[in-house]
Amino acid sequence: MILGGIPYYLDMLRKDLPLTKNIDNLFFKENANLKTEYEFLFCSLFKDSKNYRKVVEALSEKKKGLSREEIKEATHIKEGGTLTEILSNLTQCDFIREYNAIGKEKRDSLFQLTDLFTLFYLNFVQNGSSQDENFWSNFAFTGDKNSWAGYSFEQVCFHHIKQIKSKLSILGVLSSIYSWSCKGFVDKDGAKWSGGQIDMLIDRNDEVINICEIKYSSDEYAITDAYEETLRNRASLFKKVTKTKKALQYTFITTYGLKQNKYSGMIQSEVTMDDLFQL
């Protein structure tokens, strides 16, 4: 979630130090090895690195992603060949992903920043936190860290779709992977619907859709009464908006598994952090 699994970066970790101290040494202390890696990375990969950085920095501000038009407005990069080339190169280099919401046309596709190293750098290093040489040691258990960790864990999951499908025993089933969100609205009968979003959808050709909830937690994740109601309302909203006739199954993807209680029975399948790193 911090180093993106890059062997060159991982080799810099010292086994005799806790993770928090390692991250301070790599990013936040004076002359840290990775303190200027972000600028070096883009300059070495892309000729017009300034515009490439504009795009990823704009995307870092919007977790669900931006449309091509929104990227153009945020960066003031001209539409046409220049922006098309930048988005294509960033996608091919796995800095960003392009995805379509279920039921949407390709012209409505969104671009989302998915490179884990870049996400970490833009959240914590570039914003001036690097002035504190012990920043990560002092910051590691705050709410802002947890927010970043939740989103980064989602991106780890999107990098391991094959392993998720393998755990669900659907590796051979043709599937499309989506994220989904909907704003609140009033339907034609006057009923009010609250908005909602779904972290990951696995839309399968065998007439099933896995609604995947992705939760980063330091222990087993427990579904509460209120959260169970949220899940049921979200499924109803999804059916209402998409008009899907496919069967919906709830899948929880968590770090350490789902805590068994009276609400966990609604979940048909589980994937844990260990499953993500199986060959």
Side-chain angles (χ1 to χ4, degrees), residues 59 62-71 87 91 96-101 104-113 179-181:
L59 291 176
K62 198 73 172 180
K63 290 182 178 180
K64 76 172 185 177
L66 296 172
S67 67
R68 175 187 288 267
E69 188 61 32
E70 288 171 330
I71 293 172
L87 294 174
T91 301
I96 67 175
R97 74 179 179 107
E98 180 181 5
Y99 73 95
N100 293 81
K104 296 290 186 179
E105 301 294 332
K106 182 172 176 59
R107 64 175 179 270
D108 299 317
S109 63
L110 297 175
F111 295 87
Q112 185 181 50
L113 178 60
S179 297
W180 183 82
S181 64

Side-chain angles (χ1 to χ4, degrees), residues 40-81:
F40 173 78
L41 190 61
F42 277 82
C43 288
S44 63
L45 287 173
F46 307 115
K47 183 178 179 180
D48 186 12
S49 62
K50 182 179 179 181
N51 279 337
Y52 282 84
R53 286 171 57 183
K54 280 184 180 180
V55 171
V56 299
E57 287 166 18
L59 291 176
S60 72
E61 299 292 328
K62 198 73 172 180
K63 290 182 178 180
K64 76 172 185 177
L66 296 172
S67 67
R68 175 187 288 267
E69 188 61 32
E70 288 171 330
I71 293 172
K72 180 183 173 183
E73 292 176 5
T75 62
H76 305 292
I77 297 174
K78 293 182 179 179
E79 181 61 279

Side-chain angles (χ1 to χ4, degrees), residues 83-107:
L83 185 55
T84 298
E85 181 180 6
I86 289 173
L87 294 174
S88 175
N89 288 341
L90 287 171
T91 301
Q92 290 180 42
C93 292
D94 289 328
F95 280 95
I96 67 175
R97 74 179 179 107
E98 180 181 5
Y99 73 95
N100 293 81
I102 190 168
K104 296 290 186 179
E105 301 294 332
K106 182 172 176 59
R107 64 175 179 270

Side-chain angles (χ1 to χ4, degrees), residues 122-147:
L122 293 178
N123 268 277
F124 302 116
V125 184
Q126 191 183 59
N127 65 8
S129 300
S130 55
Q131 295 175 7
D132 179 1
E133 292 192 355
N134 298 303
F135 172 76
W136 197 245
S137 295
N138 295 323
F139 180 81
F141 304 103
T142 66
D144 286 343
K145 181 266 183 182
N146 292 334
S147 176

